[in-house]
Amino acid sequence: MSDLKRGTVEMTAAMLISGTIGWFVLMSGQLVMAVVFWRCAFGALSLLVICGALGLFQRKFLTWRSLLVAVLGGVAIVSNWLLLFASYSHASISIATTVYNTQPFMLLGLGALFLGERITLDKLFWLMLAFVGMAAIAMGKSAAGDGSYFLGILLALGAAFFYALAALAAKWLKGTPPHLIALIQVVTGMLMLAPFTDFSALPQGAAPWSMLATLGIVHTGIMYVLLYGAIQKLPTHLTGALSFIYPIAAIVVDRIAFGHALQTIQIAGAVVILLAAAGMNLGWSPRILLRRAAAGWSGAAGSQGAPIADSGKES
């Protein structure tokens, strides 16, 4: 199998695994704080084995500066998990995951603020389009009708912001093995959440423990291996394109497992947000897309207006 095919399989598997996170979180029946703690704990065990097998425990891979940045990134990624998992019970997995995919725009703003990156007109267009999608989703209503829908949206936006902070930290860690970064992040999460975790009320029975172990081992350890392996093999545009399997998978899982069907306005908002995120990730030019769309429409109109006799001559 070629690197391109192997990377595509790995990226697809990683995104499908990510799309099931919400189901495991809700089915564990645990408080969000406990879910994240045990995800970090089981994730640390699996990543410890992976990093050891890859020979990453060497001084050359980690300086004191990179360790500090990785720890700060860990604080951000754990905060991201806490907010995202909390948003599921308020706005549904589908809506929370879609709103969470505004993270490229958060990173755009942080990059301009801290890295001096330029915001082009094309990026500004996709940003404004994402806001239109957000407005459409905000106009929707929670299926539960309990008034917490908007809170779920805010929690998902907060999760996207902290993910962008973690991504910004990763930009400062070039040259540091990503599996080692992930290990530092989950260990940081364990230390952060241990004082707030009620160890006297541990999950009862095999079912919740299996859910938590799967979140740590599969959705953290194995998923990181697949994701980083794919990133090393695939061109950036293909990585960006395949990443949209994640929200689509989450929407499908939410529909099948919990029967959550999106309203028309929510579907429209989700499509707009994902389109805007795709445009950002893949570097699409709005002007070229509009020009091609206009050319397609004029061509279709021309073919519809062509005499039938003419089309017969062509055959």
Side-chain angles (χ1 to χ4, degrees):
M1 185 183 293
S2 66
D3 277 355
L4 184 63
K5 289 182 179 179
R6 186 183 297 276
T8 300
V9 171
E10 289 174 343
M11 187 69 184
T12 300
M15 293 301 98
L16 288 174
I17 289 171
S18 296
T20 64
I21 286 178
W23 184 83
F24 280 90
V25 169
L26 295 180
M27 293 304 293
S28 72
Q30 304 301 303
L31 296 175
V32 170
M33 191 80 69
V35 171
V36 177
F37 173 82
W38 291 111
R39 181 185 186 180
C40 289
F42 285 113
L45 288 174
S46 59
L47 287 165
L48 193 66
V49 173
I50 292 167
C51 289
L54 295 175
L56 300 182
F57 295 120
Q58 300 181 44
R59 189 178 183 84
K60 65 179 181 180
F61 289 132
L62 203 64
T63 64
W64 284 109
R65 175 189 173 278
S66 58
L67 176 61
L68 176 61
V69 174
V71 168
L72 292 175
V75 173
I77 203 69
V78 170
S79 300
N80 151 64
W81 289 343
L82 288 169
L83 293 173
L84 181 61
F85 293 174
S87 70
Y88 292 152
S89 59
H90 294 283
S92 84
I93 295 172
S94 301
I95 293 299
T97 305
T98 301
V99 172
Y100 181 62
N101 273 269
T102 58
Q103 52 192 256
F105 305 102
M106 307 283 187
L107 187 57
L108 173 66
L110 292 172
L113 190 62
F114 294 105
L115 301 178
E117 296 179 352
R118 191 166 62 93
I119 300 179
T120 64
L121 287 177
D122 288 352
K123 291 178 179 179
L124 192 59
F125 171 83
W126 296 122
L127 177 61
M128 295 304 296
L129 192 63
F131 277 121
V132 172
M134 274 297 309
I137 284 180
M139 290 170 64
K141 295 180 181 178
S142 170
D146 58 2
S148 64
Y149 177 71
F150 192 64
L151 174 61
I153 292 176
L154 291 177
L155 289 169
L157 282 172
F161 173 74
F162 278 106
Y163 181 89
L165 286 178
L168 187 68
K171 283 178 175 286
W172 287 328
L173 290 170
K174 289 182 179 179
T176 305
H179 304 90
L180 191 57
I181 296 172
L183 176 60
I184 295 170
Q185 289 176 340
V186 292
V187 170
T188 299
M190 287 177 60
L191 297 176
M192 276 177 61
L193 301 180
F196 307 101
T197 302
D198 186 2
F199 295 103
S200 64
L202 294 176
Q204 300 297 313
W209 278 116
S210 65
M211 296 290 175
L212 296 174
T214 302
L215 282 169
I217 297 170
V218 177
H219 292 88
T220 307
I222 294 176
M223 200 271 286
Y224 268 114
V225 173
L226 292 170
L227 179 62
Y228 292 139
I231 289 172
Q232 290 172 353
K233 299 179 183 73
L234 297 177
T236 303
H237 72 276
L238 188 53
T239 302
L242 291 173
S243 68
F244 288 95
I245 294 174
Y246 166 39
I248 294 171
I251 291 172
V252 172
V253 168
D254 197 24
R255 182 72 177 97
I256 294 173
F258 302 106
H260 291 159
L262 298 182
Q263 301 169 14
T264 302
I265 193 169
Q266 292 173 324
I267 293 172
V271 169
V272 169
I273 287 177
L274 295 180
L275 174 64
M280 273 282 295
N281 283 340
L282 304 180
W284 292 345
S285 170
R287 286 165 292 183
I288 293 176
L289 290 176
L290 290 173
R291 202 175 299 137
R292 288 178 178 174
W297 290 331
S298 61
S303 64
Q304 289 172 2
I308 296 176
D310 287 348
S311 60
K313 290 177 182 177
E314 290 296 324
S315 60

